[in-house]
Amino acid sequence: MSEFRNKVVWITGASSGIGEAVAYEVSKNKPRAIILSAPVQNLRELESVSAKCAETGVLSHVIPFDLSQSSEIKLAYEKVSQLFDNIDIVFHNGGISQRSTVNETPVEIDKKVFHVNFWGAVELTKYLLPGMIRNKSGHFVISVSIAGLFGFKLRSAYSASKHALCGYFESLRCENFDKGIQVTLLFPGRVNTNISLHALTRDGSPYGIMDHGQSGGISVGKCAKKIVRAVKRNRKNALIGGKELLMVYFKRYLPPLFYYLVNKVKPT
């Protein structure tokens, strides 16, 4: 069991959506402290989340930074290192989605999605992993999405970045299984968040529309409870969502049905 009590927990993407809900759920489990991060433009929202977490009696710190900026990641790590000797649990939840086709998307947009979703998590992990290995204890929790298990329309770079996260952190898990390092890969399906509103279009502007499938997804509160339960149980992988999760099993056991349906399902 991976308990939160008296642990230092760092959550990226904590200003809204799943990250915000996870912060509230973790706070109920009496950690020693919780660190909340998101880009500085979301500072007001972060501070609001921090205040709500503090109502449970937990020590809460706000450390804003942009996952696409190496200098900001390094500075954030240095600030956290001044506060705590080690980080016990990291939720890599920060990320950005996409709503544009392969053909119309400039490679600069593809790279931006990768910088935020993949390289940001990798860089922060490289700062934190050595300390976890020294302490023979640490847990990385990665919000992958079922888009990390199969590609889907209008999400090419997003899906590719999520597949990359799977490969990277599965490798990290294998390399450090005997050093007290745990990795939990989360595969949320449709969750009612604002992710589609901020998804990048072909010119880099926000999509600005709530996907029908997204609005009909499970609540962030229910999602967060399942996430925290998976972490407590040291689950290696956790599928979270509704009937859309059937697509994962169709791909594995009934490929012809999967490929028929994936072309029929509306992408927004």
Side-chain angles (χ1 to χ4, degrees):
M1 300 289 284
S2 183
E3 296 293 344
F4 290 93
R5 185 175 292 275
N6 297 323
K7 300 289 181 66
V8 178
V9 182
W10 194 348
I11 304 172
T12 66
S15 61
S16 65
I18 294 174
E20 176 183 0
V22 165
Y24 299 147
E25 197 63 29
V26 168
S27 295
K28 297 175 185 176
N29 285 266
K30 307 300 181 184
R32 175 187 168 197
I34 189 168
I35 303 160
L36 306 174
S37 295
V40 69
Q41 57 263 37
N42 298 335
L43 181 57
R44 182 177 297 179
E45 291 86 349
L46 271 180
E47 290 176 338
S48 175
V49 175
S50 179
K52 290 180 182 178
C53 290
E55 290 175 2
T56 66
V58 67
L59 181 63
S60 180
H61 294 275
V62 170
I63 307 288
F65 70 94
D66 188 335
L67 280 165
S68 68
Q69 301 298 317
S70 296
S71 59
E72 292 191 24
I73 296 172
K74 183 175 186 291
L75 182 59
Y77 168 72
E78 291 171 348
K79 289 180 178 178
V80 169
S81 297
Q82 292 173 0
L83 296 170
F84 304 103
D85 293 332
N86 61 282
I87 303 299
D88 299 296
I89 303 174
V90 181
F91 285 84
H92 282 306
N93 189 74
I96 192 165
S97 193
Q98 174 194 17
R99 295 296 182 273
S100 58
T101 67
V102 171
N103 188 49
E104 68 185 1
T105 305
V107 71
E108 289 76 19
I109 300 301
D110 294 328
K111 288 181 178 179
K112 182 172 183 178
V113 172
F114 256 84
H115 277 304
V116 174
N117 293 357
F118 178 69
W119 288 113
V122 167
E123 289 191 41
L124 184 57
T125 295
K126 285 184 178 290
Y127 284 119
L128 297 174
L129 182 59
M132 291 181 171
I133 291 174
R134 284 195 299 272
N135 294 323
K136 299 181 180 180
S137 177
H139 199 148
F140 291 99
V141 186
I142 322 302
S143 187
V144 179
S145 159
I146 59 172
L149 297 174
F150 58 85
F152 196 51
K153 289 172 280 190
L154 305 185
R155 294 160 176 80
S156 54
Y158 177 73
S159 179
S161 68
K162 296 299 186 175
H163 277 75
L165 284 172
C166 284
Y168 189 87
F169 282 95
E170 284 185 341
S171 298
L172 185 153
R173 180 198 287 147
C174 293
E175 293 170 354
N176 297 282
F177 77 95
D178 57 348
K179 300 179 178 68
I181 307 302
Q182 305 292 332
V183 173
T184 296
L185 297 176
L186 305 171
F187 299 94
R190 289 173 171 171
V191 182
N192 192 342
T193 71
N194 60 7
I195 187 171
S196 67
L197 297 177
H198 302 296
L200 298 183
T201 58
R202 61 184 179 183
D203 62 1
S205 62
Y207 181 59
I209 301 172
M210 174 64 80
D211 285 346
H212 176 73
Q214 208 79 46
S215 63
I218 66 171
S219 70
V220 289
K222 183 176 182 179
C223 179
K225 288 181 184 297
K226 289 179 178 290
I227 287 172
V228 167
R229 187 182 306 126
V231 175
K232 285 182 175 181
R233 295 176 178 175
N234 279 336
R235 291 276 301 277
K236 296 208 170 23
N237 304 290
L239 287 166
I240 300 168
K243 62 183 181 180
E244 71 278 3
L245 300 181
L246 287 171
M247 292 293 283
V248 177
Y249 298 102
F250 289 159
K251 185 178 183 185
R252 184 179 303 169
Y253 300 113
L254 297 168
L257 178 59
F258 167 80
Y259 289 112
Y260 172 79
L261 291 176
V262 79
N263 292 327
K264 296 292 184 181
V265 177
K266 292 182 178 180
T268 58

